Amino acid sequence: MEAAEDVPNPAQFSEETAARIVSVKGLKDSWQKWSNEHQEYQNHNPFSHDTRPRVSAPRRGQGDYGRPPQGSMTEQRGREAQTHVGREVEELCEAIRTIGRPGDKDGRDGRVFTVEFGELFERYATISSKLVGLLLRARKQRLLDFEGEMLWQGKDDHAVITLTLSSFMK
């Protein structure tokens, strides 16, 4: 930083030169303010490339590891996405119940519907292009079951998807 006596007095110069000095000083001050704010931000940023750790980031196994800060917009968007996907899974289960046939297996209370993947794909693909992802999500929630890790159009057209109505009606 310059000392106050190092800065020339604008009254000593012509009007044009004085305006340039004042505008350059303002530009310098603005740049310094931005630089200080950015440095402060980087001090709190756990992803900064600065090698000196200044912020203790949550460690694996801690309660807030991998979670957005409470009350943040990221947390709000995550909740909204969770709700949206939940509705899509419910729509998928309802479509399987509508398209499917009463199954041979016994569910907890005997209400089971089955449908082949190819038939479901033909009917449901116009509703959602995320069918396989939704099927995996519904299986993870134990709403339905099918053989294999993933279902592929063409190859797994005859794979049977089983919806247990008792798990769907929880």
Side-chain angles (χ1 to χ4, degrees):
M1 287 296 282
E2 298 176 352
E5 53 273 349
D6 291 345
V7 178
N9 182 358
Q12 297 174 342
F13 300 101
S14 69
E15 194 174 304
E16 182 181 321
T17 306
R20 270 195 240 135
I21 290 172
V22 170
S23 67
V24 169
K25 183 173 180 348
L27 185 61
K28 178 185 162 246
D29 291 343
S30 294
W31 179 256
Q32 189 62 47
K33 180 183 174 194
W34 177 87
S35 175
N36 293 341
E37 289 172 355
H38 183 70
Q39 189 67 31
E40 183 64 27
Y41 171 78
Q42 289 299 82
N43 287 342
H44 296 335
N45 181 358
F47 302 107
S48 172
H49 293 291
D50 193 351
T51 58
R52 292 170 284 157
R54 296 185 182 123
V55 176
S56 63
R59 302 233 186 268
R60 181 175 278 175
Q62 290 179 333
D64 53 349
Y65 178 78
R67 303 219 181 260
Q70 282 192 335
S72 68
M73 290 297 293
T74 303
E75 181 190 37
Q76 176 66 28
R77 285 189 296 269
R79 271 188 269 140
E80 289 170 1
Q82 189 82 10
T83 302
H84 178 74
V85 170
R87 278 194 305 264
E88 286 191 351
V89 167
E90 287 178 20
E91 288 174 15
L92 172 64
C93 291
E94 186 62 34
I96 291 173
R97 193 177 69 75
T98 304
I99 297 168
R101 295 163 295 288
D104 298 334
K105 291 185 190 176
D106 276 341
R108 288 184 216 155
D109 59 1
R111 296 185 297 179
V112 173
F113 286 87
T114 60
V115 65
E116 289 186 349
F117 176 67
E119 181 182 357
L120 180 63
F121 190 88
E122 280 181 30
R123 298 240 189 118
Y124 195 76
T126 58
I127 299 169
S128 175
S129 60
K130 306 175 283 258
L131 174 61
V132 175
L134 290 173
L135 285 169
L136 292 172
R137 178 82 172 227
R139 180 170 67 178
K140 186 175 181 179
Q141 296 174 3
R142 301 181 192 273
L143 299 174
L144 53 83
D145 193 33
F146 54 87
E147 291 292 321
E149 290 291 314
M150 179 74 79
L151 295 174
W152 302 97
Q153 184 186 11
K155 177 183 166 226
D156 295 315
D157 282 351
H158 297 293
V160 176
I161 300 169
T162 305
L163 169 71
T164 305
L165 213 59
S166 59
S167 60
F168 177 60
M169 301 301 257
K170 283 183 179 178

